[in-house]
Amino acid sequence: MNDRAGTARSARTAASAQARGASGGRARAALRAVASGFTEFEPPSHQEPSVSRGEGEPDGPLGWRGYDEARERARERTGESESVVCGTARVGGEAGARGAEADAAEAHAAEAHAAEAAGFPVTGPQADGAPADGVEVVLISFEFGYLGGSLGARTGDRIAAAYEYARRHRRPVVSLIATGGSRMQEGMVALGQLQRVARESALTRRAGVPQIAVLRDPATGGGWATLGAGADVVLALPGAQVAFAGSRVRPADADPAAYTAEGQYAAGHVDQIVEQPELGTVLARWLTLLTGGSAGSPGGHGGGARVSPAPVPAALPSGEPSDSAQGSGRSQPLRASQHAQHVRPAEYAQHAEHVLHAEHAEYRSGAEEERGGARQRGGSPRSVPSSGQEAVRRARSAERPRAAAYLDDYFDWRQEVRGDRCGGVDPGMLCGFGRRDGRTFAYAAQTGTATRPAGFRTAARLIRTADRLGVPVLTLIDTPGAANDADAESAGAGPSIAEVFAAVAEAEVPVTSLLIGEGGSGGALALAAPGRLWVTPDSYFSVIAPELAAAILKRPPEQAAATADELMLRPQDVVRLGIARAVVDVRDGSSRPGKGRSDGRSDAA
């Protein structure tokens, strides 16, 4: 390219940018839709390797004919010199909301059709619970109009520099991804950038700096496999293409739903699908949570600073009366858990329902029982079970509050993470981050069902993420046990439970655990923090369900209740054995008003 031609093209690019009101294309529209005060980084210098075509005019590292012209057309079309725009900005906050609104209005005035084509209408309400001044972040936004948002060598330079800045200044990284993958015209030089980006992401993760990915349309190839899937939290716009395989390289008979944001969400690879008008608000909430660790901002262990544990929740009132409250001298009927019914031997199953719904006063313990255990402030004691059979019945009662009620009572607002990143989702395991009295806590909560391998892996992912970010963890335990069907075994029941045991054992942040219902063997114990376990009056913890123990010991079904007593599974027994620290009191009155909604808004808002 001679000097005269280069000058002419540069002039055309400058004129194009001026005609667009210096508003840029889709990448900048995406930035303005979620943030304000964007300051772009100076692009790093890049010495591009080249292959001479014999004419003294190389086209990129491969000497690809026409590549220079394609890049020049992309510059003229988008006003950008590469496929990513990187810099700092502020997400959330009153000033940020106003700034984003003004910037986006100006962008629409300059070129409304570009923003519309990108699917980024202007938004900017302040997020509930977000800091008044917002959160300063490093933003990486892809310009799909520049060669399909593809990653080349200079793209890698810019992304690497952005990550280095984020680590140095401890700023969260938010990636707004719209890419078709690696740039074909740069061959292996382009593909090699994926290793580079993956390393930068891993170093940032190790440094305890949060990463959030927003998947625009499309998010395919290496961009999804590095910046996207490697983030701590993955958000996606509805209907976006999200897949490793691009649209032109998929099998002809492939299910198209698998390559969408909704398909990835169903498989547990995406945490949340967010409508575009809500994206700025949701991002601000997530940034508030992930930078809200008690050891500094954002995340991390704050150079060894001590992290205060999550407060122990009070027990919630139950509609299930205790035997002593009923004034009867006999135990009330038990209701067998579905897990116990599923695994009990056939000869036992013929009699179990009759036995579990019979009255067994003869098995009541005659010992003087503790009433209420250690007291939680602001609560009142509730009678602990007088027998093992009563403990099991109360824990299995449909009237007992489950995990969702506890989370709603505990948190001011919260956001959920979804899936194990291995293709599995377990609705019986609720995981996420929540805000309580100005602090962030992570949570993993069983909902009373048999926990599946995907649930255990999701909990392990949550605990490890929280540990990296310096966020204390709360676990709520309530399961009859780990799922034991053939599919669960094939999916890795044992290895997934091992992951949770390891995550809890390795965590440097404190883990607080509360048993709120059934504590069925290892599937429950995996979530219990050693030395930091509390129990509610409506719970039991046992090495095995009493029905199963009786069956294994070849006892008649009539001895199931006696076996429950022998197992010492009542909450006060678990305290006496040194497994739990105390039986918590029941909260007086109703739940705290305006707490816990998982959409991030309080009832008072």
Side-chain angles (χ1 to χ4, degrees):
M1 184 186 301
N2 59 43
D3 292 342
R4 181 177 299 177
T7 301
R9 286 179 175 174
S10 297
R12 287 199 303 271
T13 300
S16 175
Q18 184 176 5
R20 302 169 71 87
S23 64
R26 301 180 184 184
R28 296 183 191 270
L31 291 170
R32 288 191 297 273
V34 299
S36 64
F38 178 69
T39 301
E40 187 171 359
F41 294 142
E42 184 72 23
S45 59
H46 176 80
Q47 185 65 40
E48 188 173 79
S50 61
V51 175
S52 176
R53 294 191 288 116
E55 302 174 4
E57 195 173 330
D59 280 6
L62 305 187
W64 189 287
R65 291 181 182 274
Y67 181 35
D68 287 345
E69 286 77 8
R71 287 191 287 190
E72 191 61 37
R73 288 192 298 270
R75 290 190 190 97
E76 294 177 0
R77 184 169 55 251
T78 65
E80 304 295 349
S81 59
E82 248 305 329
S83 60
V84 290
V85 177
C86 304
T88 60
R90 191 164 294 276
V91 175
E94 296 176 357
R98 291 193 298 268
E101 201 169 300
D103 285 348
E106 180 183 349
H108 278 294
E111 190 177 15
H113 70 274
E116 182 179 356
F120 281 94
V122 177
T123 61
Q126 182 180 351
D128 295 320
D133 57 350
V135 177
E136 188 173 345
V137 303
V138 169
L139 277 167
I140 300 172
S141 186
F142 279 75
E143 175 55 67
F144 189 74
Y146 191 101
L147 301 180
S150 57
L151 282 83
R154 290 188 295 190
T155 319
D157 291 341
R158 296 188 180 198
I159 294 174
Y163 267 110
E164 290 169 5
Y165 182 96
R167 290 195 300 275
R168 186 165 61 252
H169 297 277
R170 300 199 62 77
R171 298 287 183 261
V173 178
V174 176
S175 300
L176 308 175
I177 302 171
T179 175
S182 299
R183 191 168 299 169
M184 180 176 58
Q185 295 92 331
E186 294 188 18
M188 286 301 299
V189 173
L191 189 65
Q193 301 307 309
L194 301 185
Q195 294 174 321
R196 188 180 182 190
V197 172
R199 173 176 169 76
E200 293 296 333
S201 177
L203 291 174
T204 304
R205 187 181 306 114
R206 183 186 301 172
V209 174
Q211 300 175 68
I212 301 177
V214 177
L215 307 178
R216 296 153 58 202
D217 186 26
T220 57
W224 161 232
T226 53
L227 289 170
D232 298 312
V233 172
V234 180
L235 311 177
L237 296 179
Q241 291 185 72
V242 180
F244 185 68
S247 59
R248 298 184 181 181
V249 296
R250 300 167 188 166
D253 58 349
D255 178 7
Y259 302 88
T260 64
E262 289 76 9
Q264 300 289 356
Y265 176 80
H269 303 304
V270 168
D271 292 302
Q272 190 175 356
I273 295 179
V274 184
E275 296 287 345
Q276 174 59 49
E278 301 173 359
L279 182 58
T281 300
V282 172
L283 262 179
R285 285 203 295 263
W286 270 114
L287 287 165
T288 299
L289 290 168
L290 299 185
T291 61
S294 48
S297 177
H301 294 294
R306 185 177 183 275
V307 180
S308 300
V312 183
L316 296 185
S318 173
E320 176 73 9
S322 65
D323 287 351
S324 59
Q326 291 176 330
S328 75
R330 301 178 297 176
S331 301
Q332 296 301 305
L334 288 180
R335 189 163 61 106
S337 71
Q338 293 180 353
H339 184 265
Q341 291 173 356
H342 178 71
V343 299
R344 135 181 354 107
E347 65 272 15
Y348 188 86
Q350 298 175 5
H351 306 285
E353 287 303 317
H354 169 73
V355 172
L356 293 173
H357 289 78
E359 297 174 350
H360 293 283
E362 63 271 28
Y363 294 118
R364 289 178 55 85
S365 172
E368 186 69 25
E369 307 296 349
E370 299 178 25
R371 300 296 180 183
R375 305 287 168 81
Q376 287 295 109
R377 293 179 180 177
S380 60
R382 182 182 183 208
S383 297
V384 291
S386 59
S387 69
Q389 180 176 336
E390 183 192 347
V392 175
R393 174 181 59 77
R394 283 166 59 170
R396 292 177 180 171
S397 170
E399 303 298 321
R400 175 182 58 77
R402 262 50 180 189
Y406 274 89
L407 295 174
D408 286 347
D409 181 81
Y410 190 82
F411 289 111
D412 301 326
W413 53 274
R414 57 190 171 92
Q415 297 283 154
E416 293 188 359
V417 300
R418 176 181 172 86
D420 63 358
R421 298 298 190 262
C422 297
V425 174
D426 180 5
M429 181 73 77
L430 304 179
C431 294
F433 293 82
R435 201 75 169 164
R436 174 189 169 96
D437 298 332
R439 294 184 62 200
T440 296
F441 302 103
Y443 64 87
Q446 294 168 316
T447 65
T449 61
T451 305
R452 305 199 66 79
F456 289 118
R457 283 192 289 264
T458 304
R461 176 170 78 91
L462 181 281
I463 294 168
R464 288 183 171 128
T465 300
D467 190 42
R468 287 198 309 270
L469 301 180
V471 177
V473 178
L474 171 70
T475 63
L476 300 179
I477 301 163
D478 184 11
T479 180
N484 54 15
D485 55 89
D487 287 343
E489 289 297 335
S490 297
S496 66
I497 294 171
E499 285 190 46
V500 181
F501 273 122
V504 172
E506 294 167 354
E508 295 183 32
V509 296
V511 180
T512 300
S513 301
L514 178 66
L515 175 65
I516 64 173
E518 292 195 78
S521 196
L525 187 67
L527 266 70
R532 291 197 53 80
L533 170 67
W534 283 260
V535 292
T536 66
D538 294 326
S539 67
Y540 78 86
F541 216 152
S542 179
V543 65
I544 190 172
E547 310 94 298
L548 304 182
I552 291 172
L553 295 171
K554 299 182 179 180
R555 294 177 176 177
E558 292 76 14
Q559 292 188 21
T563 304
D565 284 337
E566 290 179 301
L567 287 168
M568 294 189 68
L569 49 72
R570 300 172 305 169
Q572 65 268 39
D573 293 331
V574 179
V575 174
R576 287 172 176 169
L577 292 171
I579 305 302
R581 294 178 67 163
V583 181
V584 299
D585 284 342
V586 179
R587 172 181 295 283
D588 288 330
S590 60
S591 298
R592 300 187 298 167
K595 304 298 180 184
R597 288 174 48 151
S598 60
D599 61 0
R601 301 179 183 273
S602 69
D603 295 334

